[in-house]
Amino acid sequence: MSAEPKVLIGVIGGSGLYNLGDLTVLKEVHPETPWGLPSSPITIASLPSGVLVAFLARHGSNHSFSPSSIPVRANISALKSLGVKAIIAFSAVGSLREEIKPGDFVIPSQIIDRTKGIRPASFFEGTSVVAHAGFGDPFSGKLTAWLEKEVKKALDAKNVDLHTDKCVVCMEGPQFSTRAESKMYRQWGGDIINMSVLPEAKLAREAELSYALIATATDYDSWRPHEAAVTVADVFKTLKTNAEISRHVTAAVLTDLHAAVEEGDILTESIGAMKFSIMRPATTPEDLAKLHYILPEYFPAA
């Protein structure tokens, strides 16, 4: 008897990317997690190769969640509950560098946090557990390195530029940056800016999931002198094209990525990442049951 296909890859779609295109949809699930429902039903779809992928729309199917209100803990925990081991997150971003043009793709390696503490950023908040996840390298290095090679091949076929080893600034929003802020982020070393990579990357780390961001530039934010500041109209000009190319990228890389995840080496940085991070264990049955959902290895069922 052949083993049932596994859902090892999760794809999170950002603004403009609300589906993965012409894949065979097998079912939609909307699991209720200890942190509520995810922002959209999760589509389980099959690639032509037979490989399965789980797709979730970060802002909801009809873009109903602002960046600050996305139920990120539910999103990440729901994907893990389906068996997902690695997450590829797409995000529309503003460019803080002349060489990163609207329409270009970016795979960043670092994050500057400019959120304001109003987003729940840990699965341990509100529980009796104290834990400190390592976050010096916020993206999975092995997953990112694998993607840099394969995504470049896919983008070369579309004559689209890929930039790597860049720093993404995550701001609170929902307003765009002031000109002063945009210039400041450039001085800090920021290369692109978005509103959604945090706490998504932090929660993926706590859940021991490999996580990488594929960013698609839509505009030049507000730093360029003698030009109008970014507006939603500017963003929409490139969203559709970027979404189409993002679908091309996923179709090109997901089958081989599934094989790499199944082989296992690409996951070695994420699996076990929380083993020595838990300073204080759960002291109540409720907390134990809640955290068992996301980390059963460290919080066994009562």
Side-chain angles (χ1 to χ4, degrees), residues 193-250:
I193 183 166
N194 83 346
M195 302 179 188
S196 59
V197 71
L198 295 175
E200 205 170 80
K202 290 182 177 180
L203 294 168
R205 179 63 50 84
E206 287 189 347
E208 296 193 341
L209 297 175
S210 292
Y211 178 94
L213 183 73
I214 299 178
T216 60
T218 58
D219 58 85
Y220 276 115
D221 203 51
S222 301
W223 60 270
R224 289 173 117 197
H226 314 301
E227 282 197 10
V230 61
T231 67
V232 170
D234 298 323
V235 172
F236 274 122
K237 287 178 184 177
T238 54
L239 268 184
K240 183 178 179 181
T241 299
N242 286 357
E244 291 172 353
I245 296 174
S246 296
R247 294 186 188 99
H248 164 75
V249 167
T250 56

Side-chain angles (χ1 to χ4, degrees), residues 1-301:
M1 180 183 294
S2 60
E4 186 174 339
K6 299 175 182 178
V7 185
L8 299 179
I9 309 297
V11 175
I12 298 178
S15 298
L17 186 62
Y18 306 113
N19 62 73
L20 285 183
D22 297 328
L23 302 185
T24 302
V25 175
L26 302 180
K27 60 181 176 180
E28 282 193 345
V29 296
H30 207 195
E32 183 157 10
T33 78
W35 297 274
L37 292 169
S39 53
S40 76
I42 299 172
T43 301
I44 309 298
S46 174
L47 297 163
S49 62
V51 163
L52 302 184
V53 60
F55 177 81
L56 184 150
R58 180 187 291 116
H59 295 281
S61 303
N62 298 304
H63 207 106
S64 49
F65 290 96
S66 72
S68 302
S69 63
I70 295 167
V72 186
R73 290 186 294 185
N75 289 350
I76 297 298
S77 60
L79 286 171
K80 182 162 185 181
S81 75
L82 297 175
V84 164
K85 303 290 185 185
I87 293 175
I88 309 302
F90 285 85
S91 176
V93 301
S95 170
L96 297 172
R97 301 293 166 188
E98 193 71 46
E99 65 271 19
I100 302 175
K101 307 176 299 298
D104 286 0
F105 277 51
V106 185
I107 298 179
S109 58
Q110 275 298 327
I111 305 172
I112 294 174
D113 187 355
R114 285 286 291 165
T115 61
K116 297 179 179 178
I118 64 176
R119 310 178 186 193
S122 172
F123 288 111
F124 305 106
E125 288 182 20
T127 74
S128 56
V129 175
V130 176
H132 300 279
F135 203 59
D137 296 300
F139 301 105
S140 168
K142 288 188 175 182
L143 177 59
T144 297
W146 189 97
L147 285 171
E148 286 174 354
K149 296 177 182 178
E150 301 304 319
V151 171
K152 186 177 188 311
K153 293 177 188 175
L155 292 177
D156 283 349
K158 296 288 186 179
N159 294 314
V160 174
D161 289 335
L162 174 67
H163 306 267
T164 60
D165 196 25
K166 299 300 181 182
C167 180
V168 54
V169 177
C170 186
M171 64 178 291
E172 189 62 55
Q175 299 83 6
F176 294 121
S177 307
T178 67
R179 292 188 185 277
E181 288 169 336
S182 193
K183 292 175 182 177
M184 178 181 69
Y185 298 147
R186 281 166 48 81
Q187 293 173 347
W188 284 0
D191 299 298
I192 54 176
I193 183 166
N194 83 346
M195 302 179 188
S196 59
V197 71
L198 295 175
E200 205 170 80
K202 290 182 177 180
L203 294 168
R205 179 63 50 84
E206 287 189 347
E208 296 193 341
L209 297 175
S210 292
Y211 178 94
L213 183 73
I214 299 178
T216 60
T218 58
D219 58 85
Y220 276 115
D221 203 51
S222 301
W223 60 270
R224 289 173 117 197
H226 314 301
E227 282 197 10
V230 61
T231 67
V232 170
D234 298 323
V235 172
F236 274 122
K237 287 178 184 177
T238 54
L239 268 184
K240 183 178 179 181
T241 299
N242 286 357
E244 291 172 353
I245 296 174
S246 296
R247 294 186 188 99
H248 164 75
V249 167
T250 56
V253 308
L254 286 181
T255 294
D256 288 342
L257 178 57
H258 183 277
V261 170
E262 199 163 36
E263 188 273 331
D265 180 66
I266 208 169
L267 302 175
T268 54
E269 295 166 318
S270 56
I271 295 175
M274 295 299 294
K275 185 175 183 179
F276 301 108
S277 297
I278 299 165
M279 309 293 290
R280 182 181 189 229
T283 60
T284 70
E286 294 79 12
D287 290 345
L288 189 64
K290 187 176 189 178
L291 294 170
H292 174 78
Y293 189 89
I294 194 70
L295 290 171
E297 300 87 351
Y298 313 122
F299 301 94

